[in-house]
Every structure is written in structure tokens, then in C-alpha cells.
Amino acid sequence: MIRYIRWCGYFCALLLVALLVNIARVQVWESAAYGANPANKRPAIERYAQPRGNILVDGRPVTGSRDSGQLLRYERTYANGPLYAPVTGFSSQTYGTSFVERAEDPVLAGTDPGLSAFPLWYDLTRGRPAGGNAATTVRAGVQLAAYAGLAGKRGAVAAVEPATGKILALVSSPSYDPAALSGTGSRVKAQWARLNTDPDRPMLNRALRETYPPGSTFKIVTAAAALDAGVVTDVAAPTETPDPYPLPGTRTLLPNAGTGCQDASMAEAVQWSCNTVMAKIGVRVGLRGMVEAAERFGFNRDGLRVPSWVSRSNFDTDMSQDQLALSAIGQFNTRATPLQMAMVAAAVANGGELKSPYLVDRTTQDDGSPVRRGDQRSLGRAMDPATALRMQELMVKVVEDGTGKNASIPGAVVGGKTGTAQHGVGNAGTPYAWFISWARAEGAPLPAVAVAVVVEDAAANRGDISGNLAAAPIARAVMEAALSAR
Amino acid sequence: MTALTAQVAEPAPPPPPDAGAPKRRGVELTLLVGAVLISVLGHLHVGLATTGHVPRPAAHYAAGLAVAALLAHLAVRFRAPYADPLVLPIAVLLNGLGLVLIQRLDATTPGHLAAGDQLRWSALGVALFVLVVLVLRDHRVLQRYAYLSVAVALVLMLVPVFFPAVNGAHIWIRFAGLSFQPGEFAKILLAVFFASYLAANRTALALTGRRLFWKLRLLPGRVLGPILAIWALSVGVLVLERDLGTSLLFFGLFVIMLFTATGRIGWIAIGLVLAGLGAYAVGTFEPHVNSRVDDWLNPFASIERGEGPGQLAQSLFAFGAGGLLGAGLGHGQSFLIGFAAKSDFILATAGEELGLVGLAAILILYGLLVSRGFRAGLALRDPFGRLLATGLASIVALQVFVIAGGVTGLIPLTGMAMPFLAQGGSSVVTNWIIVALLVRLSDSARRPAPQEPPE
């Protein structure tokens, strides 16, 4: 019997070995795969176990964290949620993150290795440093001016500092409160459904993600292209353009909204927004020249990040002459984000050099010590410095004595360009009112701000008047705020 | 378990008349202090990790555990002085760790506190341990009650049929707010009966019977019949009650004890084949079992169906999250497993918070306990004692294998309680009685041979 007891012992030892081998398989070999399984709630629980770092505007947090006592514990709160929603985005237990919340997520959530001097320490203790902060380039006053200007309208504002590329304001209207998406449960799901089915599309970031036909504001690009290409050497010289202008190769006549465009010079054409003249100039520059100029300003560029990605602005590269003529005045397939048009104004204001726009100035640890600085990068030269100077003069003329008088600010040099963009099938939609501009305080060496404003449902439908009526006052308020904040 | 190899040869050498085996009670006391200390530290750790401060009843807990361990130790010291010094400390440590884990899970499920009940059941278990060690002076007394044991066992197993099912199994008796599983007690009684019956009929089983072919001989029906009937009855009842874990345990116990008594490996093989066929049939046609087999074959199927992770998937996630070193007591998320986290799936919490290292240590503790049982069986001189020790050790080993293998995905999951660790009053009490019997058996095994034979 002794022998059989021993065999039983061996059998039990075998069972033990099988158990040990299997737990080693589960806990070491399969561990990573189990951890990565989307049904495993542990990563989410860990992620929300501590308060999230904050997003700062003017050094003050516009976000907060609330202990919900739920499984996914700390929920995001927003001070002035709708105002900053296009900047912060949302941080939701249910729907993830967007915009700065997404772009700077590692820092805010405390997983960025830069948050700790000794990352190994946190590996050993299985802890996590407190979430860091992301300080934005946005200025509260500028943002508020843009937001108030758009109140009740559909549209967007993008404002940048021309010399650096800092984004001073990013507003989309109507907006929403991202706090409605914080947390879990049916309330959040209902809000998400409501926001996604709302015909006003409040969650759409119109400043970065919506492209509009830029209309007459694109004439700045066409004019700069003509000067750089030498097609126009004297801005005051008559261009011998008929009114209306027959589109090359067709019988279609291109009209002007106003009068006095017959045979006008390029300076007058910009000042009074003559479609005929600028279309003809665009055709003279040629497809290749126009495409190259537009691309120098940032059109057709994929992967622009601020650090959230920005929709691609389009200027077709394969067009007939009549299509090119329409594209030169910002119609046909030409489309631009408000940020793109702010970049056009900024390039003119900055002497031709185009700075890459950016939204996050620096990220810091919880205690304020730096993690990373936002980088000022150049996107290259959009035009010659001499061309830029000429363009500045032309744009100033628009505001002083042209279609954009509503943007003028006493004590500041302001350059601008109105736009009214036809859209819809057969141009049936209510036109978009555009205004792009820049402003420099008198005596200041550098322009403080470049702005693009688009208002979708501009009531007035009379050529470039609507840009001046609906969009220019908003641009002025934004520029005033930027000038006074200096 | 590997320590078995270099030990007793058959027949056991007669111990030198005067020397006697060392009693080793001091070793036991030292190990007990360690076991209590580990448990108390674990308790403090859980309190600090989940609430940030030392838990208020920590002192009571420490005192209670220490007093229980001390009383058990004194009982052993005075009534079973030659007992194996490892058995009691391992039981105390496992019971203490179980309380730590249950208290830890209580912290995340404030609506369903279980640690208090478990503490009271543990106290009752230790009391019964003391009682058994004090009252049962010689294990051979049990041999006389073989038929009483089996009668009581069958009654105990039949009674729950008349009580409502809980979670699909008729294995609980509820009264006065308490619930317990009589099947737990039945397994000791059945082991006593098997040991007694097989010891009495060993010769007939081993040597008689018609030869079928080669070495395989048909066991005599007169001898095999009754025990086979008892076994079939008990397993049948359990299948009716849908307590598959326990029926598996009883089958394994029966096969192991029959093999130990007769040494007939061929019959074991036939038994295993039959059991396999039976398991296949049940697994295919019985929906309750069928779903468990499906879960085992593909634990993540429910996730792919979009229904979220099932219990086994959650358990595997918990083990995986533990990794090598574990998250630390109180830092895991094993409550995600749901309602059975404190009972069937308690090992997942151990795996997540103590890691592979801690889990392996716990399994090796069980291995040590089992090996000490076998060791007592090897050193005992009477067939009944040998069979009983083997049976009790096998009960612990099979139970640990079935439940640990189930929750880690090695074998299909069958509901059973991890000895000492899992929440469950009847289980804790039963295991303390098993440990008391092992202490008694090892005392007899290591006791120096008396000068004159006992009457």
C-alpha cells in the first residue's frame, strides 16, 4: 500500500505542477494580451483613478476634476465650457477625448514619461505621477470677444499672432458644453445623441475642421501670387478688364457685385473686391503659379497639427482656364478652414513668412515645472517681403476706404479683406460672410493679431457688403481685444 | 509533495525504543507566530491601501487570530504532541490569508460584507479542531462508525434536494438566516467510510476475482458491489443537485482510495474512461455544464458577441493584471468578477494583488499540507489510518486542483470552495476538521511505538 500512496503523492505533485505552469502562462505569458483586451476595464479604471491635469488659458485653468465616486472616478468639469470647447474638446469616460484633451492626453492623464524625473520609480511602485497641465496660447479676452461676436450666429473665428503662430482665439458657434459628456451612464449617452443629431452641429469645430469657399478673401492669395510672379508689377496700373468678364473658353460672363471695376487696377480691385479683375489676374498667373502660391500659404497641406489636426484646405491642381478664373476669386472647388484664412492674413502681416499655428504654449508638471515648450516653427515663405509690404498697403486701403470700413480701429493700423462666398447647388445657399484682417498698434513694430471670421447665415446678400456687415465688426472686436491685451 | 521520495520504506522501520520522534512543538509555535503575523500585516495593508488609515478593529482581529492559534496549538501540544508541526500553521496561515482577501473584497462591496461571518465560522472551525483533537484520542475509533458515517453522509446529501436551488444548484440548506452545504461535511464521512470498508476488504479486493485478460481481473461483486453502489448513489444525487464540483471530487476520491487499497491501475483506467464518457455526455446534453465547457474552450466568446466579459474572462483578466509581482493588496480590481469574487473566484484576487509569486506561494502551501497528509499515511502502521490520511490529503489536493484549475482556465469551471481561502462557513469548518484529523493521524504516525501493544 505504501507504494500506491506514494504514487498518489506523485499524482498530486503532477497536479500542482500543472497548476503552477498554467498560472505562469496566464500571469506572465498572456498578461499583456489580457490587459489590452478592450473588454478589460482595468486600464480605464486606472486612467480615471486620479484627477486629470488642467488646460490653462492666461495661466488659469478652464477645466477641473470632480470626484464622482463611480468606478471611473474623476470626471472632467469645465469652467465656461461652451466658450473654450473648440480649444479644450471633451474628455469623456464614455466617448474618449478630443482636441487639446486628446493631443495632450499623456500629460493631462499623468502617463507622459516627461512628468517624472525617475520614471522607473513609478514603474516599481506601480504608481503614476499627478496629471500635468497644458497652458494654451489662447487669450481669454480675445476668445471672449470672438465668442460674444458670434453669439446667436453660426460661424467661426480663428485669431493668430502673426510673428509667432500662437493661436489667440479659436471659436466655433453654436458651441456646446463638453461637461455634458463627462462620466458614464444614460445621461451622457443621451447628451451625445442629442449633440450628434442637432442640425446646428454644435460639436463641429468650424475653426479647424470645417472648410468653406473663401470667396473674395482668397483674392489676397491671388494678388500676392501675381506680384511674386511679376504678372503685376504696378498695382496702380489699369488691367484692361471688361465688366462683366467672359470666363476664358466659355460664354459665361462673370459679373461684379459693385460698380467701378471696369479696367480697374489691382489696388482698386482689392479695395473694391472686383471679381473680374482678380479672375483675369489669376488666369494670367496661370494654373501652376496659382497652385504654388496657394500651397505656399498652406493650401493642399495634409497633416497640419496645432496640435489637433486641421482639415485640409483645397485649391485644385488640375483645372481649365475658366475654373482657374473662378478659383482665383475663392469659388469653384477652393475651400479653406477659418484657421487657413487667418494664416493668409498672418503671412501678409508678418512680412511674408508663414508661422505654423500652435495652440499649446507649454506643458508643465503638477507643480509648474516645465515638461515641454510649444515650438515656434516656420512653414516657409508665403511671398516676398516686398510683396508682403505691398499687400499690407492694399489691405489697409480696404479698411480705410474700401469694402471693409467696419473693421477700422482708431489708434491702430488695420488691414483687411471682405468676402462673400456663394455655395450650394446653383449658389442657392445663403452666402457665407467672410472677413480676414490683421492689426498693428500705431508705433508697434509688429502686428499683434491676424483674424479670420466666417459667418454662415449672413442675412445681407449683397456682394461683399455682407462680409463688411456681418463679419468685419466681429473681427474688429477680436483685434481690439488682442491689441488691448498686449 | 516532492518530499515524499526519501521517506519511509515498506515496512516502516520500527523506531528505536527510547529515542522517539522529536515533538517539534516549538517549531510549530514559531511558525504559528509567523502565520498570525503575516495575516495581521496583510489586514493592516488592506486597511491602509483602501481607506488610508489603520483599520479600527485591527487589534481585535490580531488578538482573535492569535488566541485561536494559541488554543489550537495548546490542544495539539497536550493531546497530539507528536503531530506534524507544519499542518496547523499552514491551516492558520491559509485561513488568515482568506480573511484578509475577503476583508479586502468587502472594502469594494460595502453592501455585502462577508468578513465578519467568515471570522465567526473560522472561530467555530478552530473550536471544532480543538474539540476533535481533544476528544478523538485514536483515529482507529472512527473505523467502528463506518456504516453510521455513510448513512449520515447520504442523508446530508439528500436533504438539500428539499430546499430551494441557489444559483442553479440544490446544495444549500438555509435556516435561521444561516446557510451551509451539507455536502462539505459528507466528504469527510465518505472518506471515513471508504477507508474503513476498503481496509476491511483489502485482501479480497486485491487478490480475488476472475481473470479477464492479461493482468486485468474482475473484482468480486460481493466486495465491490456495496462500495460501488454507495459511490454511484452519492454521485447520482450530486448530479441531480447539479453540484458537479463535488461529484467530481467524490469520484476522484473513490478512484484514488480504491487504487491505494488495491493497486489495480487497470481499474483506475477503466474508471477514468467511464468518467470521461460520463463527463462528455453531461457536458454535451446538460445546458448548465455545457455552457461551462463552452466558457472554458473560449472564455472571450461573450465579448465577441458584444455581451461583455463573462466571469471566467474577468477572472483571467484579474490574473493577467497581477502579473509577476501583483498590484499589491487593496490595489487590484478583482471585484469586477462580480458576485462570486469572494467564493469561487477568491484566487483571482490573490492572483491580481499578490501576483504570480504570491499565488504560487499559496498553491505551494496547499502542496505542503497535502504532502504532510500523504506523509502521515506513509508512516502510519494500520491500513485504515493510511487510507484515511491518503483520502483526506486527496480531498484537499483535488479540491485545490479543480477550483484553481477552473478559475485559471486549465479545466472547465466547477463551483467549489478553495479550502480555507474562500468565503463559506461549511467549507471552513469542514477543512478545520480535516486538518484536525490530519493532526491526529500524523501524531499517531510519528508517535514512538508503545512498549506493549495497545489493547
Side-chain angles (χ1 to χ4, degrees):
Chain A
M1 197 189 284
I2 292 290
R3 195 165 62 153
Y4 307 134
I5 295 177
R6 202 166 283 161
W7 283 16
C8 290
Y10 295 151
F11 173 67
C12 291
L14 195 70
L15 295 184
L16 179 65
V17 169
L19 283 181
L20 291 175
V21 168
N22 189 52
I23 61 167
R25 175 187 72 88
V26 169
Q27 299 208 266
V28 179
W29 188 258
E30 302 277 3
S31 174
Y34 292 156
N37 191 309
N40 194 342
K41 281 195 188 146
R42 281 174 183 74
I45 291 172
E46 197 185 335
R47 171 184 168 85
Y48 294 106
Q50 68 179 27
R52 193 169 165 81
N54 283 318
I55 297 173
L56 312 181
V57 170
D58 282 348
R60 278 189 293 278
V62 296
T63 58
S65 275
R66 185 173 67 87
D67 185 352
S68 66
Q70 303 286 308
L71 195 57
L72 307 180
R73 191 165 160 194
Y74 284 97
E75 295 180 357
R76 195 57 140 172
T77 60
Y78 294 88
N80 261 325
L83 173 61
Y84 291 109
V87 177
T88 59
F90 56 78
S91 169
S92 165
Q93 269 83 346
T94 317
Y95 297 105
T97 51
S98 64
F99 297 107
V100 170
E101 294 274 28
R102 165 174 286 183
E104 296 298 343
D105 187 66
V107 168
L108 296 169
T111 55
D112 192 293
L115 286 172
S116 157
F118 307 103
L120 196 62
W121 170 251
Y122 290 103
D123 281 350
L124 279 176
T125 58
R126 292 206 163 198
R128 199 156 47 117
N133 296 328
T136 63
T137 56
V138 171
R139 294 234 201 84
V142 184
Q143 179 85 3
L144 197 59
Y147 185 75
L150 278 176
K153 306 185 184 81
R154 282 206 300 200
V157 173
V160 299
E161 190 173 73
T164 57
K166 286 180 180 178
I167 295 176
L168 304 180
L170 212 54
V171 170
S172 175
S173 178
S175 191
Y176 71 105
D177 189 352
L181 301 177
S182 298
T184 53
S186 56
R187 186 186 54 80
V188 170
K189 287 199 171 76
Q191 289 291 327
W192 176 261
R194 182 184 66 77
L195 290 170
N196 275 294
T197 51
D198 190 327
D200 280 339
R201 294 196 292 165
M203 285 211 293
L204 173 66
N205 189 335
R206 293 172 166 81
L208 299 183
R209 300 276 166 89
E210 180 71 304
T211 58
Y212 301 88
S216 300
T217 56
F218 192 78
K219 289 171 184 166
I220 299 299
V221 176
T222 306
L227 288 169
D228 269 358
V231 170
V232 174
T233 47
D234 180 1
V235 295
T239 53
E240 295 165 15
T241 315
D243 183 10
Y245 168 68
L247 293 179
T250 71
R251 292 168 168 221
T252 312
L253 294 177
L254 180 68
N256 285 308
T259 51
C261 287
Q262 177 115 29
D263 201 21
S265 67
M266 191 172 83
E268 290 164 330
V270 171
Q271 188 177 350
W272 299 108
S273 201
C274 294
N275 290 340
T276 49
V277 176
M278 296 313 294
K280 186 182 177 192
I281 288 174
V283 171
R284 284 176 59 202
V285 171
L287 178 66
R288 196 156 151 220
M290 281 303 292
V291 167
E292 281 173 4
E295 290 181 351
R296 283 199 301 271
F297 277 96
F299 282 81
N300 296 348
R301 181 193 290 268
D302 281 313
L304 179 63
R305 290 185 163 270
V306 295
S308 317
W309 62 269
V310 180
S311 289
R312 180 179 186 269
S313 297
N314 183 66
F315 188 83
D316 273 5
T317 54
D318 184 15
M319 290 184 285
S320 58
Q321 292 290 297
D322 57 320
Q323 291 167 342
L324 176 61
L326 287 174
S327 293
I329 57 167
Q331 299 288 168
F332 191 58
N333 280 342
T334 308
R335 294 187 75 88
T337 60
L339 180 69
Q340 171 60 60
M341 293 318 293
M343 287 160 69
V344 169
V348 171
N350 195 39
E353 194 197 359
L354 182 60
K355 289 288 192 178
S356 180
Y358 67 102
L359 196 49
V360 177
D361 195 32
R362 64 194 180 316
T363 49
T364 66
Q365 291 177 27
D366 186 39
D367 62 4
S369 44
V371 176
R372 268 187 301 279
R373 293 203 66 85
D375 45 344
Q376 293 182 16
R377 287 183 303 116
S378 176
L379 287 179
R381 189 154 276 290
M383 68 200 106
D384 276 352
T387 303
L389 275 176
R390 288 238 182 80
M391 291 307 303
Q392 286 176 14
E393 287 161 13
L394 296 184
M395 287 180 79
V396 167
K397 203 82 172 156
V398 171
V399 174
E400 279 179 352
D401 184 25
T403 53
K405 286 178 191 161
N406 279 345
S408 73
I409 301 168
V413 180
V414 178
K417 180 73 195 79
T418 53
T420 304
Q422 308 291 332
H423 70 103
V425 180
N427 293 340
T430 313
Y432 300 128
W434 273 97
F435 197 76
I436 67 170
S437 63
W438 48 266
R440 172 165 58 84
E442 251 164 31
L446 291 170
V449 61
V451 191
V453 176
V454 62
V455 179
E456 287 185 23
D457 44 2
N461 184 9
R462 270 204 63 245
D464 292 84
I465 307 299
S466 75
N468 187 39
L469 286 180
I474 299 171
R476 184 185 59 211
V478 170
M479 289 186 291
E480 278 173 339
L483 290 168
S484 67
R486 281 230 130 185
Chain B
M1 293 188 205
T2 48
L4 295 172
T5 47
Q7 293 303 313
V8 190
E10 193 170 16
D18 284 326
K23 292 181 179 171
R24 303 273 189 207
R25 294 278 66 82
V27 172
E28 182 181 88
L29 188 60
T30 313
L31 290 174
L32 277 173
V33 169
V36 170
L37 215 58
I38 290 173
S39 307
V40 171
L41 287 177
H43 192 82
L44 290 179
H45 194 300
V46 167
L48 286 172
T50 54
T51 63
H53 52 81
V54 174
R56 195 176 296 246
H60 297 125
Y61 176 89
L65 199 64
V67 166
L70 189 67
L71 286 178
H73 170 73
L74 288 176
V76 173
R77 182 176 280 263
F78 290 115
R79 284 300 174 85
Y82 292 94
D84 195 313
L86 270 181
V87 175
L88 180 59
I90 289 176
V92 168
L93 180 53
L94 288 171
N95 201 158
L97 281 177
L99 283 166
V100 167
L101 293 173
I102 291 170
Q103 184 225 353
R104 182 267 167 277
L105 285 167
D106 275 357
T108 53
T109 51
H112 303 88
L113 298 182
D117 275 350
Q118 185 77 352
L119 195 63
R120 283 183 278 281
W121 282 110
S122 302
L124 180 63
V126 174
L128 283 174
F129 171 91
V130 170
L131 193 70
V132 170
V133 171
L134 291 185
V135 170
L136 185 68
R137 305 296 300 275
D138 186 339
H139 65 271
R140 283 169 293 188
V141 172
L142 292 175
Q143 210 165 357
R144 293 179 209 152
Y145 301 110
Y147 290 96
L148 182 64
S149 299
V150 75
V152 174
L154 288 177
V155 169
L156 280 178
M157 281 158 43
L158 274 171
V159 166
V161 175
F162 306 107
F163 283 81
V166 178
N167 304 326
H170 285 277
I171 52 176
W172 274 275
I173 296 181
R174 288 176 182 276
F175 65 91
L178 293 173
S179 67
F180 66 90
Q181 286 173 281
E184 289 280 345
F185 299 104
K187 67 193 175 198
I188 301 182
L189 298 172
L190 223 55
V192 168
F193 167 71
F194 284 156
S196 174
Y197 186 88
L198 291 171
N201 298 288
R202 196 161 77 92
T203 328
L205 284 167
L207 302 176
T208 63
R210 274 185 304 134
R211 186 179 180 125
L212 284 181
F213 56 90
W214 193 47
K215 281 183 173 177
L216 206 59
R217 280 179 307 168
L218 190 63
L219 288 173
R222 212 158 15 98
V223 188
L224 192 63
I227 193 169
L228 209 57
I230 300 280
W231 168 73
L233 193 61
S234 51
V235 170
V237 167
L238 291 169
V239 168
L240 277 182
E241 293 174 355
R242 292 183 170 181
D243 188 1
L244 291 150
T246 313
S247 56
L248 195 67
L249 175 67
F250 282 11
F251 175 77
L253 180 66
F254 173 68
V255 168
I256 284 180
M257 291 185 74
L258 191 62
F259 167 73
T260 312
T262 64
R264 300 288 187 77
I265 198 106
W267 282 106
I268 305 295
I270 289 178
L272 285 178
V273 167
L274 286 176
L277 287 175
Y280 179 78
V282 173
T284 312
F285 300 117
E286 157 74 51
H288 186 69
V289 185
N290 191 9
S291 70
R292 293 224 159 150
V293 174
D294 281 349
D295 270 357
W296 170 60
L297 290 174
N298 191 357
F300 301 120
S302 66
I303 297 171
E304 286 150 22
R305 285 197 305 269
E307 295 162 11
Q311 270 189 325
L312 184 57
Q314 289 284 20
S315 171
L316 290 174
F317 287 163
F319 282 109
L324 195 60
L325 296 175
L329 277 174
H331 293 296
Q333 315 288 355
S334 53
F335 63 88
L336 289 170
I337 293 164
F339 79 96
K342 294 175 196 174
S343 47
D344 293 14
F345 287 93
I346 190 93
L347 264 193
T349 301
E352 178 166 6
E353 307 205 339
L354 304 176
L356 176 63
V357 174
L359 187 59
I362 288 174
L363 291 178
I364 288 168
L365 279 179
Y366 284 112
L368 272 175
L369 185 62
V370 171
S371 81
R372 292 287 142 165
F374 282 121
R375 200 170 179 180
L378 288 168
L380 275 164
R381 288 168 288 273
D382 65 305
F384 170 71
R386 284 176 177 172
L387 282 170
L388 185 58
T390 305
L392 294 175
S394 303
I395 287 177
V396 176
L398 288 176
Q399 216 165 326
V400 168
F401 178 74
V402 168
I403 187 64
V407 297
T408 56
L410 183 62
I411 58 172
L413 191 63
T414 41
M416 235 201 279
M418 199 71 192
F420 292 112
L421 282 189
Q423 174 199 4
S426 23
S427 166
V428 168
V429 168
T430 306
N431 284 306
W432 271 111
I433 295 174
I434 289 179
V435 165
L437 291 175
L438 286 179
V439 162
R440 171 52 65 217
L441 287 164
S442 70
D443 175 57
S444 303
R446 291 158 52 96
R447 188 183 292 273
Q451 297 302 332
E452 63 264 32
E455 65 286 317

